Amino acid sequence: MTGPEQRVTNSADGSARVGVQAGVVHGDVNNYTVSPDAAPEEKFRTGLRYLEGGMARRARELIYAAFAAGHRTDEVWFHWLLALVSGRTRHELSDEETASLRAEPGGLRRAGDGAWMDGVRTVRRLLNCAEDPRADLRAVFKELDALGETQKALIVRHLGTFLEGPLHDQMWDRGLARARREWRARNRSGRCWKFFEPEPLAPRPYEPPPPRTPSVVLARVTAPAAVTGALALSLGSTLLTSGRLLGFLGYLVGLVGCYRTLREVMARRLRAALRDPVRPAPRRTPAGGFARKVDKRFLHYFAKYTPPGMERGVWMEMTAGVRQKIRDEIVHTYRESRVGVGRIDWLIRYRVSEVRERWRNGPPEPPAPSSAAMLGAVALLTVGAVAILTDAAGDAIAALLTTAVAAAFTVRVGLDIAMEHRRHAIERRESRRMLAADQAAFLRWRQKLADRPQDREMAAWLDCDRKILLNDALRHYKLAMSEIIAYGFIDFPAPATSRARVRGGPWRYRDYEIMLFLLTRDGVRQVTTELDFEVGEFSGGQRANYRFESIAAVRVRQTAGQPWTFELSLVNGQHITIPVDGLGVEELQQGEVPGTVAEATLDAAGVHHTLHMLEGIAASGKRWGDRAR
């Protein structure tokens, strides 16, 4: 190993890394699922999707199965040739696979206008030129450039690793030029993040809890209310039958005043309750449970959406009541559905943003009751009482006082019951309003996610990133592509990153750590860097150099309860151990076969090819490099 440039940490404690987050699986996308008894053409089309997704191993299996079952077209043969060599060097092929490259299959049918057969001929000429140093490269590349855009792009993408010498240089130049054009094409930064968003769950109506009126309270108010009603009727009857018209008119005015006074009192109490909601008691929720995850999302978004100019602590304190109320509603509505909190993340975010918008437009204030209305109600009540006292006899006055005492006791308890029913009516009305607003927000969010990239686009962007990184390494080491004996990548998730996949497909990550290994005449060059996949930007970077004879062993392994690790052992006893959390995680959906997701992820990450290359160096040293050349 070299000295000054060596900046790789020799070991990494797995406990020091934060594992990748729970993944998103787009279960409605079935690009990579095919039944064993599927028709040959269906197997072929699925194999094509594997090839586009950067998983050549599985692509070879399916395309060959389709061909062997009788689906023999020039399109199938073209893709079979590319799948054989994609991401591999010449010595990785078995004798049977090498023979397949040279074989002339019989019974081929033309698919389309003959463009696929033109592609087959060009691939075979390129492979022949790789073995003939006297071949006319200008002629074969002229033939390549004359192909259709589809065939040319596929050849440039999949054939590069397999070629050698000047042929490799020219193919590399074309591949790099294409990578630079497509690196951030198709609005990558504006669409890539959507792949990691789960399919949103539609809003559901929230049914507020019914009025809380215990039977004991009802019993306490029923008898006084009956007595009050009977006394009030008796008082009115007494005034009417005794001919006390002024007193009876006062009685009627007093009833109106009593009703309006009670209504104004209740309005003021409701306003106070809405302005200053009761601070809920802290809730203890199980760690890792649905409610705890909802709590974390609410805290995150309320902190994120703090109004400008307001301190975060003040905002969190002021909104504690409404935050708990909305949180309880969402937990109550969605808890029993066994959905991941990610699927309602849009709803939490929208509800929090609405609270902030309402606050920015002025703190939400319930309509202020009119002071004049309250004074008028009290005035009516007073006038009625005075009229009765002025015109009534002693027995009527006694009845009035008795009725007033009974009414006071009834109102004391009954007002709470009326308030509770009024609360329920207001909450039901607010729930209907929020459901309509939630549905509109849901449709907007669905529309925003409508152009979510397909898995093949994610694979194509990653392939471009690899080429950009490889070109940077070649420039740093001042090497031409023809001076590289072989190269390989291992892509693994960065700590605490988001991940997502389609059904049956490999995990894709929002942030990667990428290791690039270059085999040259002087040994192995290793580059390790971080990739922000959403925008295709690299950051950081570590480099190390090894002599061929320095590598003793290399492997990717997993022990019980521990993350997968990449281990590179050197002959001097040093070990480079890097946890590659997430490569072996599957989180299978219904119908998925155990092992298929992990295998697809390892294949897409380049693990198989790179391990084959490094294991060859560990076993044979420089002789492996000489044999590869």
Side-chain angles (χ1 to χ4, degrees):
M1 297 178 64
T2 59
E5 209 172 23
Q6 170 63 23
R7 299 198 300 273
V8 176
T9 303
N10 288 334
S11 64
D13 182 4
S15 62
R17 292 169 58 93
V18 181
V20 291
Q21 300 175 4
V24 171
V25 180
H26 302 296
D28 57 338
V29 181
N30 296 307
N31 290 344
Y32 300 116
T33 56
V34 60
S35 63
D37 57 349
E41 184 172 1
E42 183 181 350
K43 290 183 178 180
F44 168 63
R45 295 299 168 189
T46 306
L48 288 191
R49 290 191 285 270
Y50 272 100
L51 190 61
E52 291 175 335
M55 295 162 283
R57 285 166 65 100
R58 181 60 173 156
R60 287 192 289 273
E61 296 173 3
L62 290 172
I63 294 174
Y64 182 77
F67 189 83
H71 188 51
R72 300 194 169 202
T73 68
D74 47 6
E75 182 185 9
V76 175
W77 191 246
F78 173 81
H79 286 94
W80 164 244
L81 292 175
L82 293 185
L84 271 179
V85 301
S86 180
R88 307 169 88 187
T89 56
R90 187 175 300 275
H91 61 277
E92 289 182 65
L93 271 64
S94 66
D95 293 341
E96 182 180 356
E97 289 173 330
T98 301
S100 295
L101 291 178
R102 301 188 176 95
E104 289 283 353
L108 284 183
R109 301 186 304 276
R110 175 174 292 186
D113 57 1
W116 296 114
M117 183 54 71
D118 293 339
V120 169
R121 284 192 288 266
T122 302
V123 170
R124 294 172 69 87
R125 286 202 61 186
L126 285 166
L127 295 176
N128 291 335
C129 288
E131 298 178 350
D132 183 3
R134 298 170 299 176
D136 184 359
L137 299 185
R138 288 179 300 177
V140 72
F141 277 106
K142 183 178 180 180
E143 183 178 322
L144 173 64
D145 293 336
L147 290 177
E149 187 60 30
T150 299
Q151 289 75 21
K152 181 167 58 177
L154 288 169
I155 291 173
V156 169
R157 177 179 176 182
H158 295 288
L159 205 60
T161 307
F162 196 78
L163 302 178
E164 301 166 0
L167 186 63
H168 198 182
D169 283 334
Q170 294 198 40
M171 186 65 77
W172 165 249
D173 290 340
R174 283 169 167 76
L176 179 60
R178 183 174 294 275
R180 284 172 170 163
R181 290 196 304 271
E182 299 181 359
W183 183 21
R184 295 173 176 170
R186 301 180 300 280
N187 190 22
R188 175 176 180 170
S189 61
R191 295 175 56 228
C192 184
W193 63 269
K194 300 177 185 181
F195 189 83
F196 302 98
E197 291 292 331
E199 186 65 24
L201 198 64
R204 297 174 180 174
Y206 167 69
E207 185 60 35
R212 295 179 288 270
T213 50
S215 56
V216 175
V217 175
L218 287 174
R220 286 176 56 193
V221 76
T222 300
V227 171
T228 301
L231 290 173
L233 289 174
S234 175
L235 174 61
S237 176
T238 299
L239 292 172
L240 184 62
T241 56
S242 63
R244 307 285 184 175
L245 294 180
L246 178 62
F248 185 72
L249 289 175
Y251 168 79
L252 295 178
V253 170
L255 288 179
V256 174
C258 183
Y259 166 75
R260 296 190 62 176
T261 300
L262 290 176
R263 190 177 68 176
E264 292 299 322
V265 169
M266 189 165 65
R268 279 162 169 74
R269 290 185 61 179
L270 275 173
R271 184 171 188 266
L274 292 174
R275 288 186 62 186
D276 303 305
V278 177
R279 177 70 57 84
R283 298 174 181 269
R284 298 179 64 88
T285 54
F290 177 76
R292 177 68 65 87
K293 293 176 181 177
V294 171
D295 288 340
K296 290 181 178 179
R297 300 314 293 161
F298 267 102
L299 289 173
H300 168 75
Y301 283 120
F302 265 99
K304 180 178 179 179
Y305 292 150
T306 301
M310 179 178 289
E311 292 186 7
R312 179 175 297 178
V314 174
W315 169 249
M316 299 297 285
E317 178 71 17
M318 293 177 65
T319 57
V322 68
R323 183 171 69 243
Q324 187 69 57
K325 180 178 182 299
I326 301 174
R327 174 264 186 206
D328 289 348
E329 291 177 3
I330 289 180
V331 169
H332 174 77
T333 304
Y334 291 94
R335 168 175 253 157
E336 299 304 322
S337 57
R338 296 184 179 275
V339 299
V341 70
R343 297 191 64 189
I344 59 171
D345 196 64
W346 71 270
L347 177 60
I348 297 172
R349 183 172 58 246
Y350 168 68
R351 289 290 189 90
V352 174
S353 67
E354 192 205 41
V355 171
R356 185 182 69 167
E357 287 305 310
R358 291 170 66 181
W359 191 269
R360 288 174 63 179
N361 296 330
E365 290 279 346
S370 170
S371 298
M374 185 65 180
L375 290 174
V378 173
L380 287 175
L381 183 61
T382 303
V383 168
V386 170
I388 294 173
L389 292 173
T390 301
D391 192 43
D395 56 345
I397 294 174
L400 174 63
L401 295 176
T402 304
T403 302
V405 172
F409 186 83
T410 302
V411 167
R412 181 181 177 184
V413 180
L415 194 60
D416 291 335
I417 296 176
M419 280 275 295
E420 186 64 15
H421 283 269
R422 181 63 176 157
R423 172 204 61 80
H424 182 254
I426 291 174
E427 288 188 356
R428 289 195 66 182
R429 185 167 62 248
E430 177 65 10
S431 176
R432 290 193 294 270
R433 185 193 72 80
M434 283 307 307
L435 179 61
D438 291 344
Q439 288 172 336
F442 172 72
L443 293 177
R444 290 194 300 270
W445 184 242
R446 284 283 300 271
Q447 182 62 31
K448 194 175 186 67
L449 297 179
D451 62 344
R452 175 191 285 127
Q454 299 180 27
D455 186 72
R456 60 181 176 83
E457 292 183 88
M458 303 291 281
W461 282 326
L462 182 58
D463 183 66
C464 292
D465 293 332
R466 288 171 170 174
K467 286 183 169 64
I468 298 298
L469 176 60
L470 177 55
N471 182 62
D472 290 344
L474 293 176
R475 291 172 57 192
H476 175 82
Y477 290 114
K478 297 180 173 58
L479 294 170
M481 181 55 76
S482 56
E483 297 178 274
I484 302 299
I485 300 171
Y487 64 89
F489 295 90
I490 294 182
D491 313 323
F492 53 94
T497 190
S498 303
R499 58 195 172 101
R501 65 177 177 87
V502 299
R503 185 176 177 83
W507 289 111
R508 309 291 183 186
Y509 302 96
R510 195 184 296 266
D511 299 286
Y512 284 91
E513 291 187 12
I514 299 182
M515 288 189 292
L516 166 63
F517 295 91
L518 300 175
L519 271 60
T520 70
R521 291 177 302 174
D522 300 322
V524 180
R525 307 281 191 265
Q526 177 190 332
V527 177
T528 305
T529 187
E530 297 179 2
L531 170 65
D532 181 345
F533 186 67
E534 285 189 11
V535 295
E537 290 185 355
F538 294 98
S539 61
Q542 298 174 329
R543 298 185 182 90
N545 300 332
Y546 316 106
R547 295 189 303 273
F548 284 116
E549 60 272 16
S550 298
I551 300 177
V554 60
R555 61 179 174 173
V556 172
R557 70 182 181 91
Q558 183 186 31
T559 56
Q562 298 296 321
W564 288 49
T565 56
F566 172 81
E567 297 181 352
L568 182 64
S569 301
L570 306 180
V571 294
N572 62 3
Q574 290 180 301
H575 298 277
I576 298 176
T577 302
I578 303 175
V580 286
D581 313 48
L583 286 185
V585 176
E586 294 200 291
E587 295 183 9
L588 296 175
Q589 305 298 296
Q590 185 175 5
E592 291 184 316
V593 179
T596 55
V597 173
E599 174 59 28
T601 303
L602 291 171
D603 196 7
V607 171
H608 298 304
H609 164 69
T610 304
L611 282 183
H612 181 277
M613 181 181 71
L614 294 177
E615 287 169 348
I617 294 295
S620 305
K622 191 174 182 180
R623 294 194 308 276
W624 188 93
D626 294 337
R627 188 166 63 250
R629 285 200 297 269

